[in-house]
Amino acid sequence: MDLFKTVPPNIVQSIRAFRMSDLQDEAQRLGQHFLFAHCANALTKHQVLTAIARGFGFPKHFGKNFDALSDCLTDLPYKTGPQAGFIVVLDQLPDTQKFDREARETLLDVFRDAAEFWADKKIAFRVFYSVAVQI
């Protein structure tokens, strides 16, 4: 089964109809890295970046800013040698006063830039995200 039959190899998109467990299974089937960050409890940029750093296993010295995120998504894995690809899930990104739509778009732009970086190297980098529903 090819879960990504209609999904380009380097994209940032809403998770929509995909289930996280299916994405994780597909990463394993393809031999790709599965990176998951659960952001439901985050309210601020710092908390979102902390959740991503924890979920992705970034080094302790990670700067918790968008430039440091970009570096960790590109430089660090690239320096470790050949990569099979990445499936990234950003689960329940907040929609709060301290992490609003503009902040979310900036975050997703960092992931789009990383997708372009990996596309240039012919390595899949698919990012799926969801936004927390505010009650």
Side-chain angles (χ1 to χ4, degrees):
M1 177 176 128
D2 185 1
L3 188 63
F4 298 139
K5 189 175 184 178
T6 61
V7 179
N10 298 83
I11 191 167
V12 176
Q13 72 172 47
S14 172
I15 200 165
R16 288 182 268 225
F18 292 104
R19 292 187 341 208
M20 191 196 47
S21 60
D22 292 339
L23 294 170
Q24 190 171 15
D25 291 346
E26 189 69 356
Q28 184 174 4
R29 186 184 77 76
L30 296 171
Q32 296 182 355
H33 301 283
F34 181 76
L35 303 174
F36 175 78
H38 182 67
C39 301
N41 297 322
L43 301 173
T44 66
K45 172 184 162 185
H46 184 269
Q47 291 171 341
V48 168
L49 292 172
T50 298
I52 291 170
R54 188 178 310 117
F56 293 9
F58 287 166
K60 290 183 182 191
H61 65 270
F62 172 65
K64 295 186 183 79
N65 60 60
F66 292 133
D67 289 336
L69 176 62
S70 177
D71 289 346
C72 283
L73 293 174
T74 57
D75 291 348
L76 292 178
Y78 187 62
K79 290 177 181 176
T80 63
Q83 301 295 324
F86 301 87
I87 296 173
V88 178
V89 176
L90 303 171
D91 186 42
Q92 297 188 37
L93 292 172
D95 184 11
T96 64
Q97 186 175 7
K98 293 187 178 184
F99 195 84
D100 58 10
R101 182 182 183 143
E102 183 178 334
R104 188 172 55 254
E105 281 305 312
T106 301
L107 173 76
L108 294 175
D109 282 345
V110 171
F111 280 91
R112 288 179 187 104
D113 290 346
E116 287 179 25
F117 171 88
W118 290 108
D120 289 345
K121 298 183 177 0
K122 309 274 189 268
I123 295 172
F125 188 90
R126 293 178 178 98
V127 179
F128 301 91
Y129 67 92
S130 64
V131 177
V133 177
Q134 298 298 311
I135 299 174

mmCIF file of all heavy atoms in Angstrom, residues 13 16-17 19 21 39-40 43 45 51 54 60 63 70-71 80 82 84 87 92 94 96 98 112:
data_model
loop_
_atom_site.group_PDB
_atom_site.id
_atom_site.type_symbol
_atom_site.label_atom_id
_atom_site.label_comp_id
_atom_site.label_asym_id
_atom_site.label_seq_id
_atom_site.Cartn_x
_atom_site.Cartn_y
_atom_site.Cartn_z
ATOM 1 N N GLN A 13 1.657 20.187 4.739
ATOM 2 C CA GLN A 13 0.211 20.238 4.535
ATOM 3 C C GLN A 13 -0.538 19.829 5.787
ATOM 4 O O GLN A 13 0.013 19.166 6.665
ATOM 5 C CB GLN A 13 -0.207 19.343 3.374
ATOM 6 C CG GLN A 13 -0.123 17.847 3.671
ATOM 7 C CD GLN A 13 -0.725 17.004 2.555
ATOM 8 O OE1 GLN A 13 -0.435 17.233 1.394
ATOM 9 N NE2 GLN A 13 -1.543 16.048 2.922
ATOM 10 N N ARG A 16 -5.301 16.457 7.682
ATOM 11 C CA ARG A 16 -6.620 16.109 7.142
ATOM 12 C C ARG A 16 -6.995 14.659 7.348
ATOM 13 O O ARG A 16 -7.255 14.229 8.455
ATOM 14 C CB ARG A 16 -6.706 16.480 5.667
ATOM 15 C CG ARG A 16 -6.785 17.965 5.438
ATOM 16 C CD ARG A 16 -6.912 18.218 3.985
ATOM 17 N NE ARG A 16 -5.593 18.398 3.423
ATOM 18 C CZ ARG A 16 -5.273 19.341 2.591
ATOM 19 N NH1 ARG A 16 -6.181 20.171 2.171
ATOM 20 N NH2 ARG A 16 -4.060 19.458 2.145
ATOM 21 N N ALA A 17 -7.059 13.896 6.273
ATOM 22 C CA ALA A 17 -7.578 12.531 6.314
ATOM 23 C C ALA A 17 -6.566 11.502 6.801
ATOM 24 O O ALA A 17 -6.913 10.345 6.982
ATOM 25 C CB ALA A 17 -8.089 12.132 4.929
ATOM 26 N N ARG A 19 -4.204 9.521 9.384
ATOM 27 C CA ARG A 19 -4.126 9.209 10.807
ATOM 28 C C ARG A 19 -2.652 9.106 11.181
ATOM 29 O O ARG A 19 -1.841 8.596 10.412
ATOM 30 C CB ARG A 19 -4.832 7.896 11.113
ATOM 31 C CG ARG A 19 -6.327 7.984 10.935
ATOM 32 C CD ARG A 19 -7.038 6.737 11.393
ATOM 33 N NE ARG A 19 -6.141 5.592 11.478
ATOM 34 C CZ ARG A 19 -6.518 4.343 11.326
ATOM 35 N NH1 ARG A 19 -7.764 4.052 11.092
ATOM 36 N NH2 ARG A 19 -5.649 3.359 11.424
ATOM 37 N N SER A 21 -1.110 7.183 13.227
ATOM 38 C CA SER A 21 -0.592 5.815 13.258
ATOM 39 C C SER A 21 -0.274 5.315 11.845
ATOM 40 O O SER A 21 0.711 4.595 11.646
ATOM 41 C CB SER A 21 -1.574 4.878 13.953
ATOM 42 O OG SER A 21 -2.822 4.874 13.277
ATOM 43 N N CYS A 39 1.785 19.332 20.463
ATOM 44 C CA CYS A 39 1.847 20.731 20.898
ATOM 45 C C CYS A 39 0.566 21.210 21.584
ATOM 46 O O CYS A 39 0.385 22.410 21.786
ATOM 47 C CB CYS A 39 2.139 21.618 19.683
ATOM 48 S SG CYS A 39 3.673 21.209 18.839
ATOM 49 N N ALA A 40 -0.326 20.293 21.948
ATOM 50 C CA ALA A 40 -1.628 20.675 22.495
ATOM 51 C C ALA A 40 -1.526 21.508 23.767
ATOM 52 O O ALA A 40 -2.392 22.343 24.024
ATOM 53 C CB ALA A 40 -2.478 19.436 22.760
ATOM 54 N N LEU A 43 1.188 27.156 24.521
ATOM 55 C CA LEU A 43 0.430 28.391 24.324
ATOM 56 C C LEU A 43 1.257 29.489 23.668
ATOM 57 O O LEU A 43 0.708 30.444 23.145
ATOM 58 C CB LEU A 43 -0.092 28.908 25.679
ATOM 59 C CG LEU A 43 -1.004 27.968 26.462
ATOM 60 C CD1 LEU A 43 -1.299 28.542 27.837
ATOM 61 C CD2 LEU A 43 -2.281 27.705 25.690
ATOM 62 N N LYS A 45 5.182 30.669 21.534
ATOM 63 C CA LYS A 45 6.229 30.234 20.600
ATOM 64 C C LYS A 45 7.274 29.396 21.329
ATOM 65 O O LYS A 45 7.680 28.342 20.843
ATOM 66 C CB LYS A 45 6.870 31.470 19.961
ATOM 67 C CG LYS A 45 8.081 31.183 19.119
ATOM 68 C CD LYS A 45 8.678 32.498 18.615
ATOM 69 C CE LYS A 45 10.082 32.326 18.146
ATOM 70 N NZ LYS A 45 10.710 33.597 17.772
ATOM 71 N N ALA A 51 8.266 21.871 22.654
ATOM 72 C CA ALA A 51 7.595 20.606 22.320
ATOM 73 C C ALA A 51 8.226 19.961 21.086
ATOM 74 O O ALA A 51 8.429 18.740 21.038
ATOM 75 C CB ALA A 51 6.101 20.844 22.091
ATOM 76 N N ARG A 54 11.737 18.610 22.054
ATOM 77 C CA ARG A 54 11.600 17.387 22.850
ATOM 78 C C ARG A 54 11.171 16.220 21.950
ATOM 79 O O ARG A 54 11.753 15.145 21.995
ATOM 80 C CB ARG A 54 10.578 17.605 23.962
ATOM 81 C CG ARG A 54 10.494 16.461 24.953
ATOM 82 C CD ARG A 54 9.505 16.726 26.090
ATOM 83 N NE ARG A 54 9.706 18.022 26.727
ATOM 84 C CZ ARG A 54 8.784 18.999 26.723
ATOM 85 N NH1 ARG A 54 7.630 18.833 26.140
ATOM 86 N NH2 ARG A 54 9.039 20.139 27.314
ATOM 87 N N LYS A 60 20.388 19.633 23.658
ATOM 88 C CA LYS A 60 19.992 20.487 24.787
ATOM 89 C C LYS A 60 20.288 21.963 24.528
ATOM 90 O O LYS A 60 19.617 22.837 25.058
ATOM 91 C CB LYS A 60 20.681 20.032 26.065
ATOM 92 C CG LYS A 60 20.154 18.720 26.570
ATOM 93 C CD LYS A 60 20.790 18.326 27.873
ATOM 94 C CE LYS A 60 20.240 16.969 28.273
ATOM 95 N NZ LYS A 60 20.566 16.595 29.620
ATOM 96 N N GLY A 63 18.363 26.544 20.573
ATOM 97 C CA GLY A 63 18.085 27.922 20.956
ATOM 98 C C GLY A 63 16.637 28.334 21.065
ATOM 99 O O GLY A 63 16.343 29.445 21.446
ATOM 100 N N SER A 70 15.476 25.910 12.076
ATOM 101 C CA SER A 70 15.913 25.690 10.704
ATOM 102 C C SER A 70 17.228 24.922 10.663
ATOM 103 O O SER A 70 17.393 23.962 9.897
ATOM 104 C CB SER A 70 16.061 27.028 9.977
ATOM 105 O OG SER A 70 16.548 26.829 8.674
ATOM 106 N N ASP A 71 18.168 25.338 11.503
ATOM 107 C CA ASP A 71 19.462 24.649 11.567
ATOM 108 C C ASP A 71 19.291 23.181 11.947
ATOM 109 O O ASP A 71 19.916 22.300 11.350
ATOM 110 C CB ASP A 71 20.395 25.328 12.567
ATOM 111 C CG ASP A 71 20.892 26.681 12.094
ATOM 112 O OD1 ASP A 71 20.747 26.988 10.889
ATOM 113 O OD2 ASP A 71 21.417 27.440 12.931
ATOM 114 N N THR A 80 24.945 14.028 9.475
ATOM 115 C CA THR A 80 25.043 12.669 10.011
ATOM 116 C C THR A 80 25.165 11.619 8.914
ATOM 117 O O THR A 80 25.308 10.442 9.205
ATOM 118 C CB THR A 80 23.832 12.314 10.892
ATOM 119 O OG1 THR A 80 22.653 12.343 10.100
ATOM 120 C CG2 THR A 80 23.721 13.250 12.065
ATOM 121 N N PRO A 82 23.937 9.930 4.906
ATOM 122 C CA PRO A 82 22.791 9.729 4.030
ATOM 123 C C PRO A 82 21.490 9.579 4.824
ATOM 124 O O PRO A 82 21.467 8.948 5.881
ATOM 125 C CB PRO A 82 23.124 8.439 3.285
ATOM 126 C CG PRO A 82 24.605 8.298 3.396
ATOM 127 C CD PRO A 82 24.982 8.929 4.702
ATOM 128 N N ALA A 84 17.248 8.618 4.606
ATOM 129 C CA ALA A 84 16.233 7.902 3.815
ATOM 130 C C ALA A 84 14.999 8.766 3.563
ATOM 131 O O ALA A 84 14.249 8.513 2.632
ATOM 132 C CB ALA A 84 15.822 6.629 4.553
ATOM 133 N N ILE A 87 9.186 11.880 7.741
ATOM 134 C CA ILE A 87 7.755 12.138 7.872
ATOM 135 C C ILE A 87 7.603 12.832 9.214
ATOM 136 O O ILE A 87 7.965 12.293 10.263
ATOM 137 C CB ILE A 87 6.931 10.844 7.805
ATOM 138 C CG1 ILE A 87 7.096 10.201 6.420
ATOM 139 C CG2 ILE A 87 5.455 11.135 8.112
ATOM 140 C CD1 ILE A 87 6.460 8.841 6.276
ATOM 141 N N GLN A 92 -1.595 19.360 16.795
ATOM 142 C CA GLN A 92 -2.335 20.349 17.572
ATOM 143 C C GLN A 92 -1.542 21.620 17.863
ATOM 144 O O GLN A 92 -1.384 22.040 19.018
ATOM 145 C CB GLN A 92 -2.858 19.720 18.866
ATOM 146 C CG GLN A 92 -3.841 18.596 18.599
ATOM 147 C CD GLN A 92 -4.489 18.102 19.853
ATOM 148 O OE1 GLN A 92 -4.786 18.877 20.753
ATOM 149 N NE2 GLN A 92 -4.738 16.799 19.924
ATOM 150 N N PRO A 94 -1.004 25.350 18.478
ATOM 151 C CA PRO A 94 -1.962 26.232 19.143
ATOM 152 C C PRO A 94 -2.443 27.372 18.256
ATOM 153 O O PRO A 94 -1.796 27.740 17.279
ATOM 154 C CB PRO A 94 -1.170 26.784 20.336
ATOM 155 C CG PRO A 94 0.255 26.681 19.932
ATOM 156 C CD PRO A 94 0.346 25.491 19.018
ATOM 157 N N THR A 96 -3.511 30.667 19.749
ATOM 158 C CA THR A 96 -3.697 31.465 20.958
ATOM 159 C C THR A 96 -3.210 32.890 20.713
ATOM 160 O O THR A 96 -2.603 33.175 19.679
ATOM 161 C CB THR A 96 -2.887 30.862 22.137
ATOM 162 O OG1 THR A 96 -1.486 30.945 21.823
ATOM 163 C CG2 THR A 96 -3.279 29.420 22.407
ATOM 164 N N LYS A 98 -0.731 34.294 22.124
ATOM 165 C CA LYS A 98 0.727 34.328 22.097
ATOM 166 C C LYS A 98 1.330 33.397 21.046
ATOM 167 O O LYS A 98 2.547 33.320 20.916
ATOM 168 C CB LYS A 98 1.285 33.998 23.481
ATOM 169 C CG LYS A 98 0.956 35.080 24.494
ATOM 170 C CD LYS A 98 1.631 34.836 25.805
ATOM 171 C CE LYS A 98 1.318 35.975 26.757
ATOM 172 N NZ LYS A 98 2.028 35.831 28.005
ATOM 173 N N ARG A 112 8.649 24.584 5.503
ATOM 174 C CA ARG A 112 8.639 24.641 4.027
ATOM 175 C C ARG A 112 10.058 24.829 3.486
ATOM 176 O O ARG A 112 10.446 24.198 2.497
ATOM 177 C CB ARG A 112 7.722 25.763 3.547
ATOM 178 C CG ARG A 112 6.248 25.475 3.735
ATOM 179 C CD ARG A 112 5.359 26.632 3.254
ATOM 180 N NE ARG A 112 3.982 26.388 3.591
ATOM 181 C CZ ARG A 112 3.319 26.993 4.598
ATOM 182 N NH1 ARG A 112 3.927 27.920 5.346
ATOM 183 N NH2 ARG A 112 2.062 26.691 4.846
#
